[in-house]
Amino acid sequence: MDILQAIARRRSIRSFKPDQISDEILTKVLMAAQAAPSAGNRQAREIVIVRDYAVKVALTEAAFHQFFLQEAPVDLVFCANPGKSQQRYGERGHDLYCILDTAASIQNVLLAAQAFGLGSCWVGAFNEEAVREALELPEEVRPITLIPIGYPNEQPDPTTRLSLEEFVHAEHYGQPWRKML
Ligand SMILES: Cc1cc2nc3c(=O)[nH]c(=O)nc-3n(C[C@H](O)[C@H](O)[C@H](O)COP(=O)(O)O)c2cc1C
């Protein structure tokens, strides 16, 4: 699938078929995470793959009963590793770059999943401590996002977006930008 098509067609999917994802496809999706940019190439991110139903249920509870997390065949838990960034970039690395490294890999995964006909959803609303407990995460990694992935059981309508004029500025903040295309 063309990259622009994948970007345009991606939707958050919150209902999944029971079909499993092959190891081959899952590996390719994970390679998209691996390929994402990161500050100073520190790659201050880690991913936990969850297929076990009991653990998926624990994640669902941690995420305030977002049921589709236990319905999906796989949940990927994206974590930041602040210490890795802090070593080189200090506070900015600890507070910001590791989160951005993680976010860049998340977006790659959403698009790669889309390219394989899979659905996914970025889940940010969860209790960090509960996720830590469910996955026995070490203190040095911080859970950032849960991504359920599976074959879609729904075809949601596109969601709305601000127009370019509403969030793109010309030269100085607040100066209206006029469409160039
Ligand atoms: C940081 C972040 C946190 C989000 N958290 C949740 C969440 O907890 N639950 C959920 O169902 N969707 C969540 N979403 C998905 C958004 O609701 C969704 O991307 C947005 O409504 C636009 O819809 P679309 O992805 O279909 O284009 C989150 C997205 C982002 C980027």
Side-chain angles (χ1 to χ4, degrees), residues 10-12 14 66 68 121-125 157 159 161:
R10 186 207 56 78
R11 306 272 174 272
S12 289
R14 300 180 178 89
Q66 300 195 63
F68 51 89
C121 183
W122 187 316
V123 174
D157 290 331
T159 48
R161 291 294 186 271

Side-chain angles (χ1 to χ4, degrees), residues 51-71:
R51 289 189 196 264
D52 183 89
Y53 187 68
V55 183
K56 287 192 287 184
V57 169
L59 291 179
T60 301
E61 280 172 21
F64 315 112
H65 305 284
Q66 300 195 63
F67 177 74
F68 51 89
L69 284 160
Q70 68 192 60
E71 190 185 53

Side-chain angles (χ1 to χ4, degrees), residues 40-85:
N41 203 20
R42 300 292 288 172
Q43 303 164 65
R45 56 193 172 217
E46 315 209 11
I47 299 171
V48 181
I49 300 174
V50 178
R51 289 189 196 264
D52 183 89
Y53 187 68
V55 183
K56 287 192 287 184
V57 169
L59 291 179
T60 301
E61 280 172 21
F64 315 112
H65 305 284
Q66 300 195 63
F67 177 74
F68 51 89
L69 284 160
Q70 68 192 60
E71 190 185 53
V74 177
D75 291 332
L76 299 180
V77 180
F78 284 75
C79 303
N81 190 325
K84 256 192 195 171
S85 270

